[in-house]
Amino acid sequence: MNILEGIIEELNVIALTKKSNEQFEMINPGCSWFKQLCEGLGYPLENNQTNLDTSDLCSLFPFIENFLIDANATWEASEASTACSGIWTEVDHLGIEFQLEAKALLIHDQAVLLIENKSPNYDQVHSIYQKARDIALLNEKLISELNQRQRQLQNDIERHLLRDKSIQQVAESIQGHTSAVMICQPNGEVEVLNKALVDIYKLDSNIDLQRISLLDQWLEEAERAYPELKRVIESGSYWEGEFESQNSLGSKHWVRLTIGPIRKPDGIISHYVCVANDISELRGTETTNAPGAGYDVTTHLPNRKHFWAHINDLAETELSSDYGIGLLYIDLDYFKRINDDLGHQAGDFLLSSIATRISRCVKYHDFVAHLGGDEFIVVVQYIEQTEQLEIVAERLLAAIHQPMFVNNQSLMMTASIGISSSFEPHIDPKELLKQADLAMYAAKELGKGQSRFYDPSMKKHIPHKLQRERELLDALERQEFVLYLQPQISLSGKESLRAEALIRWQHPKHGLLPPADFIAIAEESGLIVPLGNWVIRQACEMGVRLLNDGKQVSIAANISAKQLKHPDFFNKLTASLNETGMPANLLELEITESSFLEDLASVICLIKKIRSLGVTIALDDFGTGFSSLNYLRQLPVDFLKIDRSFIKELHVDHESQAITSSVITLARVLNIDVIAEGVETNEQLEFLKRSEVNFVQGFIFYRPLTFEALQQSYATIKKLNDENSL
Ligand code: C2E
Ligand code: CA
Ligand code: CA
């Protein structure tokens, strides 16, 4: 190591000069922390390596890829200037965090890129505040315990009310409780409140209950930090949050409030149960200047307060008219269930992993915050068109959906994302957040795992689950559903023609809707049972019509877990076969692993009964659930469908290739045929051919077709089948 290298090393910097657009050269290639980090991220440096390809650098640090746009502008500029990336975090395979910062500068016409490892200093600065953070953590713990108790109480009261206990009985049970409780009607009229509430708000105990409009006051006070609040409670969901509130004497205090609606059997909200605690003491000791104060303890991301400071700053500056700004409101799906199933520690681990993934998906000048619970927000700046936000959303959904290992299990999360944007020089942060929230809610209602842009119709009426359910029921009666058929092309010859039946809703107002827009609601409401029966019957009818036309096609129908477990399923299935005259061996049922989650033995028994009719079974979406290859041995299935997400990654991801190959090998041993779905490119097809997959389904051959289109394409499909067979 020469003196220069030694000095650079001492500064904790790796220095690179730009050789070309494709390559950098390391000035201090011996830099130990950099070597360690590269190795930890899966890109070990060779011993004598001095060059570093730009593409390798960008794969190592996706964050740098975006920074290079600004860096290049700096290097090409005529005047000397510097671009600085701001600090970002990388975590290596051992979980060690590196706080890094990149700088681009021009020295004697030479483009120089410096990456500084700020972790050592970071720690020093942090240790000074360690004490403050300890206190904050302790508070956080106390608050978290308080939250648990508060939620418990909320649940208890709601359960009592739903079990038809009179309001009076409930009132007696909560009188002495240390948490403040209020039960009111949707218009705010108070029916019950307890002593703790009187104490916190210094209410005059002789006051006329009906004249207290605490609910309105809370909604107003909390709305500043939680613009989504009204939407949440009007749509009948539970809400919790913290905000500053004023008592009747005018002094302010921090409260933590939970609001839960009580619904009558017809779905109308009859009451709100509100539980509050004064948390001023816990919040009061928060050292607002300490690093960490504006950050969430679990995810280390900026918290809600920090988010507001950031976005309000943006609102105060005049934004460039060339660019717009976008908000992506991310809410994880089913997080509560996972949290309950796996425990809080696993839940926290999940949240912090997701936080890292989200941060890695965005550009360095974008802002990511953890709003609390399972909600995140991304502020995307410098967009030219709203379509760019869709790309970010897609990237986020894909990153969140990558498998995760928790408690030795592999699981995959999904999220719902709402998007709002503004191209005005001055933004209205509250309105933007509200819009993103409404869009997120719409995405969730429409089936989760997707993103939606805000559109003003969302504001007019919050899509109400009950209303959607009613619409679905009407649609079933009015026969607005249609089955499309997507051919599966054989790669191994001799087999008959096959197609998967995929449902669509011909909506009178919104046009042809994909299943993502309604299946989840049908599942939640139980409507999936009659809907699914209709699908089976329709599939049988189609199969018979084709047969009568001299065309033999096996048809696979998707069966949801709920439908399969319905006691009448088997009878309905045999009725459909008998009444339509569909040969059982031409019908296939696609089921997912979730069907086996509970009560494995009785599901296996049912499947055996179904197979004894001659009906075949395909295991759908293989690889996305809690699947383990070992467990496949126990399941009586004829086909296995490798999920689209693996096929999509085949060309880039060795792991997906390895998984796909081992699934195919195992399936062969178990005598199960493999179908690959979502095949779009020739590369994918070639890989699958080499791996000897039996069938391929995907846009590369056909999109889902109407019945008539399938009939017309029959000869071509047959030909394709023969051509592609080995
Ligand atoms: P799935 O069972 O995984 O169905 C395959 C989905 O992948 C279909 O989407 C199909 O159109 C799409 N697809 C096929 N090839 C390609 C490709 O090359 N590229 C891409 N990007 N996509 C491709 P679709 O029709 O929107 O259905 C979505 C999901 O809705 C289905 O996923 C299935 O889980 C559910 N579904 C559809 N019909 C029914 C039904 O009748 N009953 C039930 N319970 N669920 C259904
Ligand atoms: Ca399917
Ligand atoms: Ca599938």
Side-chain angles (χ1 to χ4, degrees):
M1 189 188 288
N2 60 31
I3 293 186
L4 178 63
E5 280 189 57
I7 295 173
I8 304 178
E9 168 109 31
E10 198 54 34
L11 293 173
N12 271 315
V13 165
I14 173 86
L16 306 131
T17 52
K18 186 177 168 185
K19 290 286 146 202
S20 66
N21 276 338
E22 282 76 42
Q23 214 174 50
F24 286 88
E25 184 178 324
M26 294 181 271
I27 299 179
N28 55 331
C31 177
S32 50
W33 67 262
F34 189 67
K35 278 178 144 174
Q36 181 197 338
L37 177 59
C38 290
E39 176 146 18
L41 292 176
Y43 287 82
L45 297 175
E46 304 282 332
N47 255 341
N48 302 319
Q49 181 177 347
T50 50
N51 288 333
L52 194 58
D53 290 347
T54 309
S55 58
D56 285 344
L57 184 68
C58 294
S59 321
L60 256 171
F61 309 120
F63 191 81
I64 287 263
E65 184 168 4
N66 298 310
F67 174 63
L68 284 181
I69 299 170
D70 285 12
N72 280 319
T74 305
W75 292 327
E76 279 155 22
S78 48
E79 293 158 37
S81 64
T82 317
C84 183
S85 73
I87 297 175
W88 86 96
T89 308
E90 295 290 344
V91 185
D92 74 5
H93 64 306
L94 299 173
I96 297 172
E97 284 189 10
F98 288 78
Q99 317 289 340
L100 305 174
E101 186 169 43
K103 277 199 183 103
L105 46 155
L106 210 52
I107 301 174
H108 296 313
D109 283 337
Q110 174 66 61
V112 177
L113 176 69
L114 303 178
I115 304 177
E116 187 184 352
N117 175 12
K118 296 211 149 199
S119 319
N121 272 333
Y122 215 74
D123 278 354
Q124 229 171 34
V125 174
H126 268 199
S127 71
I128 300 170
Y129 293 105
Q130 195 57 45
K131 189 112 190 104
R133 280 171 72 214
D134 283 350
I135 295 173
L137 270 172
L138 182 64
N139 280 348
E140 210 55 50
K141 193 161 162 273
L142 289 174
I143 289 179
S144 138
E145 281 168 15
L146 184 75
N147 294 350
Q148 292 297 351
R149 267 190 287 138
Q150 196 166 332
R151 279 177 211 147
Q152 188 61 47
L153 177 63
Q154 179 91 32
N155 275 341
D156 289 349
I157 298 174
E158 286 176 19
R159 249 202 349 264
H160 281 323
L161 285 174
L162 288 174
R163 273 211 221 111
D164 265 350
K165 289 223 172 160
S166 71
I167 294 265
Q168 214 38 54
Q169 276 172 304
V170 175
E172 278 163 26
S173 73
I174 56 162
Q175 239 353 289
H177 211 285
T178 48
S179 293
V181 182
M182 176 178 101
I183 301 174
C184 64
Q185 295 178 10
N187 65 7
E189 198 169 296
V190 177
E191 295 201 4
V192 173
L193 50 74
N194 70 352
K195 181 165 177 309
L197 188 87
V198 171
D199 291 347
I200 295 181
Y201 278 88
K202 308 274 180 270
L203 301 175
D204 183 344
S205 40
N206 299 322
I207 201 166
D208 177 4
L209 275 188
Q210 297 186 354
R211 281 186 36 228
I212 310 175
S213 53
L214 260 183
L215 185 67
D216 287 342
Q217 181 191 326
W218 283 335
L219 293 186
E220 199 177 299
E221 288 170 336
E223 216 202 357
R224 274 170 236 148
Y226 301 87
E228 73 278 17
L229 169 60
K230 279 208 178 103
R231 190 278 296 160
V232 174
I233 67 163
E234 272 167 19
S235 61
S237 303
Y238 169 83
W239 178 87
E240 60 180 58
E242 295 165 10
F243 56 94
E244 244 185 329
S245 184
Q246 200 166 32
N247 69 18
S248 69
L249 305 177
S251 68
K252 292 212 167 153
H253 53 154
W254 276 91
V255 293
R256 174 168 186 90
L257 177 68
T258 51
I259 304 179
I262 303 289
R263 288 173 188 255
K264 289 190 283 200
D266 60 4
I268 309 288
I269 297 170
S270 66
H271 290 91
Y272 288 117
V273 173
C274 311
V275 182
N277 276 291
D278 188 335
I279 54 165
S280 305
E281 273 182 31
L282 295 170
R283 281 283 168 246
T285 46
E286 206 175 55
T287 35
T288 39
N289 294 324
Y295 292 84
D296 181 85
V297 217
T298 318
T299 58
H300 304 294
L301 284 179
N303 58 19
R304 186 177 281 265
K305 213 158 133 193
H306 195 149
F307 161 75
W308 279 114
H310 176 81
I311 193 136
N312 285 331
D313 277 353
L314 284 179
E316 275 169 23
T317 47
E318 184 159 342
L319 301 173
S320 154
S321 59
D322 297 338
Y323 298 109
I325 184 170
L327 244 60
L328 287 92
Y329 199 119
I330 308 168
D331 190 294
L332 303 181
D333 300 328
Y334 306 112
F335 180 73
K336 196 178 162 319
R337 209 171 69 192
I338 294 171
N339 203 40
D340 291 347
D341 282 0
L342 300 176
H344 286 281
Q345 238 174 345
D348 283 356
F349 172 77
L350 271 182
L351 283 177
S352 66
S353 308
I354 298 269
T356 310
R357 291 181 185 188
I358 294 177
S359 307
R360 285 184 70 119
C361 283
V362 303
K363 296 192 178 179
Y364 75 94
H365 45 56
D366 297 336
F367 180 87
V368 182
H370 181 194
L371 295 183
D374 56 356
E375 291 170 9
F376 296 86
I377 195 131
V378 180
V379 184
V380 183
Q381 270 185 275
Y382 309 112
I383 52 164
E384 282 159 4
Q385 297 152 333
T386 49
E387 286 73 29
Q388 286 168 275
L389 295 171
E390 201 166 347
I391 298 172
V392 182
E394 281 295 313
R395 202 156 60 210
L396 286 164
L397 289 174
I400 292 171
H401 196 52
Q402 292 293 314
M404 266 203 245
F405 291 91
V406 187
N407 297 353
N408 285 329
Q409 294 188 51
S410 159
L411 62 90
M412 284 167 111
M413 306 274 302
T414 60
S416 303
I417 302 183
I419 311 172
S420 64
S421 62
S422 160
F423 283 82
E424 304 293 321
H426 287 285
I427 55 166
D428 177 349
K430 217 166 110 180
E431 183 58 26
L432 265 185
L433 189 73
K434 233 183 196 167
Q435 294 180 356
D437 165 71
L438 276 175
M440 182 280 292
Y441 182 69
K444 224 171 240 288
E445 287 281 277
L446 292 172
K448 309 189 170 64
Q450 51 185 310
S451 68
R452 289 273 149 160
F453 270 97
Y454 169 75
D455 86 70
S457 72
M458 292 173 177
K459 202 168 215 166
K460 268 186 239 122
H461 84 129
I462 299 163
H464 205 291
K465 258 203 197 103
L466 282 168
Q467 191 178 329
R468 295 236 164 227
E469 284 169 23
R470 236 166 261 146
E471 253 192 303
L472 269 179
L473 198 61
D474 290 347
L476 201 56
E477 275 170 14
R478 283 195 237 122
Q479 309 230 356
E480 288 170 3
F481 293 101
V482 212
L483 271 197
Y484 275 49
L485 295 167
Q486 188 178 31
Q488 297 173 343
I489 304 300
S490 163
L491 297 184
S492 51
K494 66 190 184 288
E495 277 90 352
S496 65
L497 296 204
R498 304 166 45 87
E500 176 178 3
L502 294 158
I503 196 168
R504 304 284 179 267
W505 178 2
Q506 187 64 58
H507 194 285
K509 262 196 262 148
H510 307 305
L512 196 66
L513 298 180
D517 282 6
F518 58 88
I519 288 289
I521 301 169
E523 278 180 355
E524 274 170 39
S525 62
L527 270 174
I528 194 70
V529 174
L531 189 63
N533 287 335
W534 176 86
V535 169
I536 294 183
R537 158 128 348 202
Q538 190 70 9
C540 289
E541 279 175 11
M542 286 178 164
V544 171
R545 270 168 67 196
L546 285 165
L547 267 186
N548 292 341
D549 217 16
K551 297 164 180 156
Q552 181 172 312
V553 183
S554 321
I555 300 185
N558 288 283
I559 308 296
S560 89
K562 210 168 193 173
Q563 185 189 356
L564 187 71
K565 284 178 189 163
H566 194 276
D568 222 17
F569 180 78
F570 187 76
N571 291 339
K572 281 273 180 343
L573 174 70
T574 46
S576 284
L577 287 168
N578 294 337
E579 286 162 25
T580 58
M582 171 80 156
N585 63 344
L586 287 187
L587 181 68
E588 181 158 296
L589 304 184
E590 292 196 2
I591 57 178
T592 58
E593 287 154 276
S594 58
S595 301
F596 297 102
L597 268 186
E598 303 146 36
D599 211 3
L600 184 68
S602 68
V603 177
I604 289 185
C605 183
L606 172 66
I607 300 276
K608 285 187 174 154
K609 224 166 98 187
I610 294 173
R611 284 178 85 205
S612 71
L613 297 173
V615 174
T616 51
I617 304 288
L619 191 58
D620 204 357
D621 302 339
F622 190 77
T624 59
F626 294 82
S627 55
S628 99
L629 289 174
N630 283 330
Y631 153 84
L632 187 61
R633 290 172 207 278
Q634 301 177 43
L635 309 182
V637 302
D638 307 277
F639 293 89
L640 206 138
K641 299 191 78 176
I642 304 180
D643 190 63
R644 207 165 72 212
S645 51
F646 289 107
I647 307 299
K648 208 167 144 192
E649 299 291 317
L650 275 183
H651 65 293
V652 280
D653 183 7
H654 292 289
E655 202 179 335
S656 290
Q657 287 183 7
I659 293 176
T660 309
S661 298
S662 57
V663 167
I664 296 168
T665 311
L666 182 73
R668 202 170 300 134
V669 174
L670 298 174
N671 218 354
I672 298 172
D673 279 351
V674 177
I675 305 167
E677 60 179 357
V679 180
E680 293 183 356
T681 68
N682 267 319
E683 282 114 303
Q684 292 165 346
L685 184 62
E686 288 310 315
F687 177 85
L688 296 166
K689 274 187 179 169
R690 281 199 303 278
S691 314
E692 295 179 34
V693 152
N694 305 81
F695 291 92
V696 160
Q697 178 185 347
F699 294 176
I700 187 166
F701 291 120
Y702 287 99
R703 289 181 175 257
L705 307 171
T706 59
F707 178 75
E708 290 72 24
L710 179 96
Q711 247 178 342
Q712 280 162 15
S713 316
Y714 184 80
T716 338
I717 300 170
K718 210 165 164 54
K719 211 166 128 230
L720 264 178
N721 239 12
D722 296 338
E723 276 169 18
N724 278 286
S725 295
L726 298 167

